[in-house]
Amino acid sequence: MPEGGGESRGLPLRREWGHVDFATTFAAMRAFAAARTLETADEIWLCEHAPVYTQGLAGKPEHILDAAGISVVQTDRGGQVTYHGPGQVVAYPLVDLKRLGIYVKEYVFRLEQALLKTLEVHGVTGHRVRGEPGIYVRMDDPFGHAMHAAAPSAETKFAGLGKIGAIGVKVSRNCTYHGLALNVAMDLRPFKGINPCGHAGLQTIDLSTIGVRAAWDDVATTLGDKLAHYLSP
């Protein structure tokens, strides 16, 4: 994996790593971010990991209910605990926010837009939940176009929703690493071993469970295309 270099023009350079170890990828991202200069081209890494739980900086041990032998890795991204595993497209945008002329809030919005537009390709309507980065689908009608009404209380804000796309980022010297994950066709049982993103009872879902048969490669290509669109100067 690279540690910087390149030229700063055009679309971000896309690298499809396939199935790679999370810890190795984490180290490579940090090295890339530390080594990059004003001339370093932005990149988007697309990959898939073996089963692993990753803790964000705000992660609390009590949100890991039963790791069941799955490794838990402490990271420097924002957020709480999440799960990565086979059948999930993980994307790591390594971009210079100053070059793009945006701040972190806008960056997360654009990541969510990329997820929403990727789901749209497969006929799925994704939804945002205020204050909860990531993308959700209505379990009763994942293909319907009705807006998801805001819940009246914090206790019910996830009612009727399943989380299909997670986001957790790190920004250092205006440059990003870590990123987002989209569930395609997974064994979802390991999500039962945690409170996903720190929320007890939050249901997680993938495209396969809602009836979308899509190849990992195809979803990765689409997500990469959408990210490149939203993260280009």
Side-chain angles (χ1 to χ4, degrees):
M1 290 184 173
E3 296 186 2
E7 299 179 354
S8 57
R9 59 175 179 266
L11 297 172
L13 176 64
R14 189 182 313 181
R15 299 183 185 274
E16 298 189 8
W17 297 117
H19 193 84
V20 291
D21 175 70
F22 173 79
T24 301
T25 310
F26 177 27
M29 286 190 290
R30 295 183 71 180
F32 181 98
R36 68 179 300 162
T37 68
L38 293 177
E39 289 72 42
T40 301
D42 292 338
E43 299 194 3
I44 296 170
W45 296 359
L46 297 161
C47 60
E48 178 184 43
H49 295 309
V52 61
Y53 293 122
T54 68
Q55 278 276 34
L57 290 172
K60 298 179 180 179
E62 58 264 34
H63 290 309
I64 301 174
L65 308 176
D66 182 7
I70 297 175
S71 297
V72 180
V73 179
Q74 182 66 48
T75 77
D76 57 356
R77 63 164 172 80
Q80 298 271 350
V81 65
T82 193
Y83 169 72
H84 296 308
Q88 180 188 64
V89 176
V90 183
Y92 296 123
L94 308 170
V95 300
D96 185 336
L97 297 184
K98 188 173 183 180
R99 181 185 299 160
L100 289 176
I102 62 175
Y103 295 98
V104 176
K105 186 175 181 179
E106 172 67 17
Y107 173 61
V108 172
F109 180 86
R110 294 189 186 193
L111 297 186
E112 290 176 337
Q113 280 296 104
L115 287 169
L116 289 169
K117 292 300 182 181
T118 300
L119 292 175
E120 189 176 289
V121 168
H122 299 281
V124 178
T125 300
H127 301 273
R128 290 182 171 91
V129 173
R130 184 185 296 274
E132 299 294 343
I135 295 299
Y136 307 78
V137 297
R138 290 175 52 190
M139 300 300 297
D140 63 340
D141 188 12
F143 305 101
H145 300 302
M147 292 183 62
H148 174 67
S153 69
E155 291 73 22
T156 61
K157 62 183 171 182
F158 298 118
L161 297 176
K163 190 165 190 176
I164 198 167
I167 293 175
V169 303
K170 171 69 175 180
V171 180
S172 176
R173 299 182 300 137
N174 298 309
C175 296
T176 71
Y177 57 103
H178 293 292
L180 61 158
L182 178 59
N183 304 337
V184 180
M186 305 179 68
D187 176 358
L188 295 170
R189 289 175 294 180
F191 283 105
K192 300 291 186 182
I194 59 174
N195 291 329
C197 304
H199 298 293
L202 174 60
Q203 187 167 356
T204 54
I205 200 68
D206 62 7
L207 287 173
S208 177
T209 302
I210 58 177
V212 175
R213 300 293 178 261
W216 187 96
D217 289 347
D218 292 340
V219 177
T221 296
T222 301
L223 182 57
D225 289 344
K226 302 304 181 185
L227 286 167
H229 172 75
Y230 287 110
L231 299 177
S232 296

